[in-house]
Amino acid sequence: MHRYEPSKYRPFSTVAKQDRRWPDKVIEQAPIWCSVDLRDGNQALIDPMTPAQKLEMFDMLVEVGFKQIEVGFPAASQTDFDFVCKLIDEDRIPDDVTIQVLTQARKDVIERTYQSLRGAKKAIVHVYNSTSAVQREQVFKLSPQEIIQIAVDGATWVKQGAAQQPDTEWQFQYSPESFTGTEIDYAVDVCNAVIDVWNPTPENKIILNLPATVEVATPNVYADQIEWFCDHVKQRDALTISLHTHNDRGCGVAASELGVLAGADRVEGTLLGNGERTGNLDIVTMGMNLYSQGVNPQLDFSRMDKIIHVVEKCTALKVHPRHPYAGELVFAAFSGSHQDAINKCLSQYTEGAPWQVAYLPIDPRDLGRSYQQVIRINSQSGKGGVAYVLEQEHAIKMPRWLQVDFSPVVQAEAEQTEAEVSAEQIYDLFQRTYLQPNDHMTLKSYQVNREQGNDKMEAVLVDGAAEHHIKGEGRGVLEAFVAGLSKHIGHPFVIIDYNEHTMGHDEASEAMAYVQISIGRQRVCGAGKSRDILGATLNAVLNAVARSETASKQKVA
Ligand code: KIV
Ligand code: ZN
């Protein structure tokens, strides 16, 4: 066994704060979203997207409703450069969407970046340099002041580049890369120096993006850093404070949520969380988290299957079946008690009322998923789930006593096949068990005579090639039929439960009936289908009797 040496790592440092306000806040409106699928997400792929894939992703981001989209790092790759030019030259950017490009704080790189943006109506130029102690000391081997100078120079070149292309509406963005590993007061000094170059106003804000380039602490520490930063940076009212979280500790979404509580206005991330290493903030999750609290996410995820399709195609990465909101299994209930609870809540839910369904934090239909996908049957499932599937898929509304009877049949099948049982398999089992059991007879014809409240019935039953004539009397058709059939099979029986319904909404709809009989020392269920209710009921009785005979034969054998 590997011997871990905890002294190899150091605990993260916390922010000494007396005036922590963010824990008492709630998010009441969606932040400004910026998608970095085409930049951070693309940089993190084994095979970066092709131009066609970038275009498909861009169009989908627009369709989802992003108003700010980082479309690439044009000076770093010819594909990105050409892509930015294509979007502009072919007029593919809607008027209400602003593209953003990333650049290092280097003069030649910034100049090339501006070349890619020629003709743009508006754009955000995003410049960054690393500011953390480890980057300063080990990667760049520069003093804190020299690192500030890189930021100031970068900001200056960005400003100059914009001045040379005055027809474009520019916005500037600066990221102290690895912000969370940067001494907080020093991060403020760096950003203040950039602010001095750009001179923002409340009408013409700049974006300061504070990345958790590598997530190294719990999200509360990030929130403290953001709140502290907002309290100490100059000209806060002329700034859009942006977050850019990664997911190294698995808390990218939580960190962004807490960061927004702490005062951030804007959030960068990707659909479904693609991005460097463990990925960026997953905007689908954060957006739907907001929606589940009654906040309009201002993004449309209702065509989730399309989003998944495009993301998987462009990234060549599969979405995990348990991915929040999007995964194949996240609204699926296999366990019987969960299915029962969901079934009960759904049947009480009225359209337009506040959503309150056990085990389903949001309505799957908001993501383009149907209720049919919710209840999934395996050996852990119970009667509620099976009933739900039959009702949804085949309009079969089993009464409770039949649900209890049928559930073990489905469970036995699931255990035997060691797999999920599909809706079709469930229907097939139902059919073989109750509608067409072994040795069943069918009703060929019947006649009823009613005299003074007494029914006399004659019926012809078909059993393979043979026909059987039965006669009976009773205080109703069913009683008369039971009397005739009891005589015919030589065993008295009584009906103890009975239920029926039509299977559609017009007069041509078929009827379905269910009965439970007590015969000998057993209770046996049957179901019958016919054009009319009486025919369905009589068939149900015949099927129950056939099942009882099979059952007693099996006992004798
Ligand atoms: O993670 C990061 O720090 C980045 C910056 C370029 C914003 O992607
Ligand atoms: Zn990043």
Side-chain angles (χ1 to χ4, degrees):
M1 187 179 154
H2 182 71
R3 257 197 58 231
Y4 282 110
E5 191 43 76
S7 62
K8 183 172 172 184
Y9 299 102
R10 278 163 302 165
F12 49 77
S13 18
T14 54
V15 183
K17 230 175 169 302
Q18 307 299 322
D19 59 344
R20 199 170 277 115
R21 281 121 39 222
W22 61 263
D24 292 328
K25 300 206 171 140
V26 285
I27 306 179
E28 284 167 351
Q29 66 177 49
I32 301 165
W33 304 107
C34 175
S35 152
V36 293
D37 290 83
L38 289 162
R39 198 277 299 169
D40 211 326
N42 189 44
Q43 279 181 296
L45 297 176
I46 300 163
D47 294 317
M49 292 178 219
T50 62
Q53 286 171 333
K54 286 201 106 185
L55 208 53
E56 188 171 1
M57 177 66 91
F58 178 79
D59 288 343
M60 196 192 57
L61 294 168
V62 170
E63 191 181 309
V64 165
F66 284 96
K67 302 297 173 213
Q68 298 188 356
I69 303 175
E70 193 166 76
V71 288
F73 196 159
S77 103
Q78 189 62 40
T79 315
D80 276 17
F81 188 95
D82 293 343
F83 178 65
V84 176
C85 295
K86 187 180 174 71
L87 290 178
I88 297 166
D89 296 346
E90 296 179 5
D91 205 11
R92 288 174 174 273
I93 308 160
D95 286 344
D96 62 348
V97 172
T98 307
I99 56 165
Q100 170 171 317
V101 290
L102 184 70
T103 175
Q104 287 164 334
R106 282 177 30 202
K107 192 162 193 278
D108 55 334
V109 174
I110 291 172
E111 279 168 6
R112 176 103 176 119
T113 304
Y114 274 103
Q115 283 163 20
S116 74
L117 291 166
R118 281 202 187 116
K121 288 184 198 132
K122 52 183 175 179
I124 299 168
V125 179
H126 175 188
V127 61
Y128 75 96
N129 68 310
S130 299
T131 54
S132 66
V134 64
Q135 296 265 9
R136 292 192 317 258
E137 288 158 16
Q138 298 191 40
V139 183
F140 297 100
K141 300 198 188 306
L142 291 174
S143 69
Q145 198 44 50
E146 286 168 317
I147 292 287
I148 291 184
Q149 195 55 48
I150 294 177
V152 167
D153 289 343
T156 308
W157 294 319
V158 164
K159 193 173 168 180
Q160 286 167 356
Q164 282 162 20
Q165 290 173 216
D167 291 341
T168 303
E169 196 184 302
W170 298 107
Q171 190 171 20
F172 303 146
Q173 171 167 334
Y174 173 69
S175 292
E177 202 227 62
S178 53
F179 163 79
T180 46
T182 304
E183 304 84 330
I184 187 80
D185 47 351
Y186 174 66
V188 168
D189 289 346
V190 179
C191 291
N192 280 344
V194 170
I195 292 170
D196 286 342
V197 177
W198 283 343
N199 289 318
T201 62
E203 296 71 42
N204 196 9
K205 293 186 184 187
I206 60 162
I207 302 168
L208 288 183
N209 185 48
L210 307 176
T213 305
V214 179
E215 183 176 60
V216 290
T218 46
N220 59 305
V221 174
Y222 188 54
D224 279 352
Q225 289 170 321
I226 300 298
E227 195 171 67
W228 198 96
F229 185 95
C230 290
D231 285 347
H232 291 85
V233 71
K234 60 163 73 167
Q235 284 190 256
R236 174 66 185 93
D237 61 345
L239 307 175
T240 296
I241 298 295
S242 175
L243 309 176
H244 177 110
T245 58
H246 279 271
N247 199 37
D248 300 81
R249 296 168 54 100
C251 303
V253 171
S256 286
E257 290 178 331
L258 268 49
V260 169
L261 291 180
D265 313 294
R266 178 185 189 263
V267 163
E268 293 190 346
T270 58
L271 291 174
L272 305 169
N274 179 39
E276 294 285 2
R277 305 179 310 282
T278 50
N280 287 87
L281 156 77
D282 168 11
I283 291 188
V284 168
T285 302
M286 183 162 169
M288 291 312 293
N289 282 354
L290 289 178
Y291 185 46
S292 73
Q293 302 303 298
V295 176
N296 185 343
Q298 307 290 352
L299 293 173
D300 179 0
F301 300 123
S302 63
R303 297 183 68 200
M304 186 48 71
D305 286 342
K306 177 176 176 193
I307 294 174
I308 293 170
H309 173 75
V310 174
V311 169
E312 287 188 340
K313 192 164 133 197
C314 295
T315 61
L317 296 169
K318 282 264 164 230
V319 172
H320 196 279
R322 301 215 181 270
H323 192 108
Y325 300 107
E328 165 72 18
L329 293 180
V330 297
F331 298 114
F334 287 99
S335 122
S337 62
H338 291 205
Q339 292 176 346
D340 253 3
I342 291 172
N343 212 354
K344 283 180 186 144
C345 295
L346 284 179
S347 62
Q348 288 169 65
Y349 177 69
T350 40
E351 224 48 72
W355 182 253
Q356 239 198 330
V357 175
Y359 303 111
L360 293 182
I362 62 153
D363 186 342
R365 292 176 305 174
D366 290 329
L367 293 154
R369 300 269 160 83
S370 65
Y371 291 155
Q372 273 85 334
Q373 291 162 291
V374 172
I375 307 287
R376 308 269 293 256
I377 307 300
N378 66 10
S379 57
Q380 306 297 306
S381 308
K383 54 189 185 319
V386 173
Y388 180 84
V389 168
L390 279 180
E391 180 165 352
Q392 294 298 312
E393 308 270 318
H394 297 283
I396 293 174
K397 299 181 194 153
M398 285 195 292
R400 212 179 146 69
W401 44 267
L402 191 61
Q403 293 176 18
V404 175
D405 194 70
F406 188 41
S407 173
V409 179
V410 179
Q411 271 198 339
E413 174 79 6
E415 272 162 18
Q416 201 208 326
T417 56
E418 292 180 354
E420 184 181 349
V421 189
S422 69
E424 276 324 301
Q425 281 171 296
I426 292 173
Y427 179 66
D428 190 53
L429 272 179
F430 180 84
Q431 179 134 320
R432 282 189 280 126
T433 308
Y434 299 115
L435 287 172
Q436 290 163 8
N438 290 339
D439 304 327
H440 69 287
M441 291 186 280
T442 49
L443 184 70
K444 186 175 174 197
S445 60
Y446 64 86
Q447 258 190 331
V448 186
N449 245 326
R450 179 160 293 176
E451 273 173 24
Q452 293 164 351
N454 201 38
D455 284 343
K456 288 190 177 154
M457 168 180 237
E458 291 190 20
V460 182
L461 311 178
V462 182
D463 174 8
E467 286 194 354
H468 307 273
H469 293 253
I470 65 166
K471 279 186 188 174
E473 273 184 44
R475 271 168 304 144
V477 185
L478 196 52
E479 205 178 287
F481 185 69
V482 169
L485 192 56
S486 290
K487 225 185 304 154
H488 177 73
I489 60 173
H491 292 293
F493 69 91
V494 289
I495 293 182
I496 49 175
D497 283 305
Y498 165 70
N499 226 285
E500 31 93 340
H501 61 85
T502 56
M503 299 184 77
H505 299 290
D506 54 36
E507 56 284 1
S509 307
E510 281 193 305
M512 181 71 109
Y514 316 92
V515 298
Q516 179 160 218
I517 61 172
S518 174
I519 182 164
R521 292 165 69 179
Q522 41 172 342
R523 289 179 163 202
V524 189
C525 299
K529 217 179 354 173
S530 178
R531 285 253 155 260
D532 62 286
I533 290 282
L534 183 57
T537 309
L538 302 184
N539 277 328
V541 174
L542 285 171
N543 287 335
V545 168
R547 291 192 68 225
S548 77
E549 298 204 326
T550 310
S552 41
K553 268 190 226 155
Q554 276 167 354
K555 271 193 197 140
V556 173

